[in-house]
Amino acid sequence: MSNRISYRDAGVDIEKANSFVELIKPIVKSTARKEVMGSIGGFGGLFNLDTTRFNKPILVSATDGVGTKLRIAQLMDKHDTIGIDLVAMSVNDIVVQGAEPLFFLDYLATGRIDTERHVQIIQGIANGCQEAGCALIGGETAEMPGFYRDNEYDLAGFAVGIVDEEKLIDGSEIRDGDRIIGISSSGLHSNGYSLARKILLEQGGLHLDDNHEGLTGTIGQELLRPTKIYVRPVLNLLKNFSIKGIVHVTGGGFIDNIPRIIPASCRAVIYTKNWEVPAIFRIIEDIGSVDTLEMYRVFNMGIGLMLIIAEAYVDEAIHRLSIMGQRAQLIGHVEIIRNEKQRVVLL
């Protein structure tokens, strides 16, 4: 008789997976909103949607990952903040449309469940959800031996929010002369890491535990700074200000993201001297001899979110943001395209 083989022998440990779910239950529960029904472990997350406060409710959804920033977390064996990045990338995409994030789901794929490491990841996701005010309503942990190495993992996130149709921000009200307010980023956020790693670690020969002039920590610490979550300040502003358009500066930087919200007849003029670009971007630019336009196409350059607003409200909006602890400044204006076809002009 041939030797019997089990799922565990193939690399999948069902008992460990079940124990992992039990460990993260209190973490998930810490993010609950009053609309959440049931508990983790069911076949689907339940959310009792209250639409009574909306005239015409619209659900807004987003999904994203963390890109090759995951490689930095794995090289440093530091996993407690990467979950914040995962949440941020989706909830920031939701709030730019004026929507309040309601709930979030995660997908964690790995070669082998490492309980300590993966609990840290889920705790980071929960921290991000708490910051965004949304519930971590469910997820999936997939053990995939032979597809991922034992110490490798990948992450994806999915978020759903809600907004009243009359309050949906779609850029249709943007006009010639409107102003652009920039809110600072915390660093690279989760974009451009393939280029950053190539320049810093390969071309520049730097190490993650190296210090570099201008940085407050090591290269690794700088690259792992969590993406800033803009949900609370934006929702606060929307109570009193009419924001015509919001840009989440992610992959594609200034050049590709701004045209997604401004009318086709308009272009954005950006005053690049109006804010101090963080040192990490200058280091990448200098070591890699990267063209300035390419830098603004790939990275956020220190501006993680842009608000397009009528000129009359700029000063008051910036003051409100400063009260909420956000560094914000006037960084540009919108104008009609005349002779040139350029959608974004950098001054």
Side-chain angles (χ1 to χ4, degrees), residues 111-125:
R112 179 179 60 85
I113 290 177
D114 182 318
T115 301
E116 181 179 355
R117 174 183 299 162
H118 295 153
V119 166
Q120 289 179 35
I121 295 169
I122 300 302
Q123 182 63 67
I125 293 172

Side-chain angles (χ1 to χ4, degrees), residues 26 34 39 52 73 125 140-141 143 155 171 177 186 204 206 211 244 303 325 328 334 340:
K34 59 181 174 53
S39 61
T52 57
I125 293 172
E140 166 70 2
T141 301
E143 200 168 20
L155 291 172
S186 55
L206 299 175
N211 293 291
K244 299 183 178 185
I303 300 294
V334 176
E340 299 179 35

Side-chain angles (χ1 to χ4, degrees), residues 67-129:
T68 58
K69 189 171 186 175
L70 286 172
R71 179 60 63 198
I72 304 299
Q74 291 166 19
L75 288 172
M76 294 182 66
D77 195 23
K78 187 177 187 305
H79 314 279
D80 57 338
T81 61
I82 201 73
I84 299 174
D85 292 286
L86 184 68
V87 175
M89 295 305 288
S90 286
V91 297
N92 285 343
D93 278 352
I94 284 176
V95 79
V96 299
Q97 295 173 88
E100 172 194 353
L102 297 173
F103 57 83
F104 186 85
L105 300 97
D106 71 276
Y107 174 78
L108 167 60
T110 185
R112 179 179 60 85
I113 290 177
D114 182 318
T115 301
E116 181 179 355
R117 174 183 299 162
H118 295 153
V119 166
Q120 289 179 35
I121 295 169
I122 300 302
Q123 182 63 67
I125 293 172
N127 291 343
C129 287

Side-chain angles (χ1 to χ4, degrees), residues 92 182-191 222 225-230 248-250 254 275-281 299-306 325-329:
N92 285 343
I183 307 178
S184 68
S185 68
S186 55
L188 271 67
H189 283 182
S190 298
N191 301 106
E222 182 65 38
R225 286 188 189 279
T227 304
K228 188 183 287 188
I229 293 175
Y230 296 99
H248 182 203
V249 189
T250 56
F254 285 59
W275 75 95
E276 184 178 353
V277 175
I280 186 62
F281 298 102
F299 300 108
N300 67 60
M301 300 302 284
I303 300 294
L305 203 77
M306 301 181 198
Q326 302 293 323
R327 293 201 315 274
Q329 49 273 313

Side-chain angles (χ1 to χ4, degrees), residues 25 39 48 50 62 130 197 233 244 278 296 334 339:
K25 277 185 175 179
S39 61
N48 185 11
D50 176 15
Q130 290 170 346
R197 288 188 303 112
K244 299 183 178 185
Y296 279 87
V334 176
N339 298 322

Side-chain angles (χ1 to χ4, degrees), residues 139-170:
E140 166 70 2
T141 301
E143 200 168 20
M144 300 172 63
F147 195 88
Y148 296 97
R149 295 188 182 93
D150 283 355
N151 62 344
E152 287 183 341
Y153 61 87
D154 197 6
L155 291 172
F158 315 86
V160 173
I162 190 168
V163 63
D164 210 322
E165 184 178 29
E166 63 187 20
K167 296 181 180 179
L168 181 67
I169 299 174
D170 60 6

Side-chain angles (χ1 to χ4, degrees), residues 267-308:
R267 69 180 186 180
V269 178
I270 303 298
Y271 320 144
T272 60
K273 303 295 190 293
N274 274 27
W275 75 95
E276 184 178 353
V277 175
I280 186 62
F281 298 102
R282 296 304 186 201
I283 293 168
I284 292 170
E285 185 176 19
D286 292 343
I287 292 177
S289 298
V290 184
D291 182 78
T292 299
L293 184 61
E294 180 72 358
M295 290 294 295
Y296 279 87
R297 179 181 289 279
V298 176
F299 300 108
N300 67 60
M301 300 302 284
I303 300 294
L305 203 77
M306 301 181 198
L307 310 175
I308 302 175

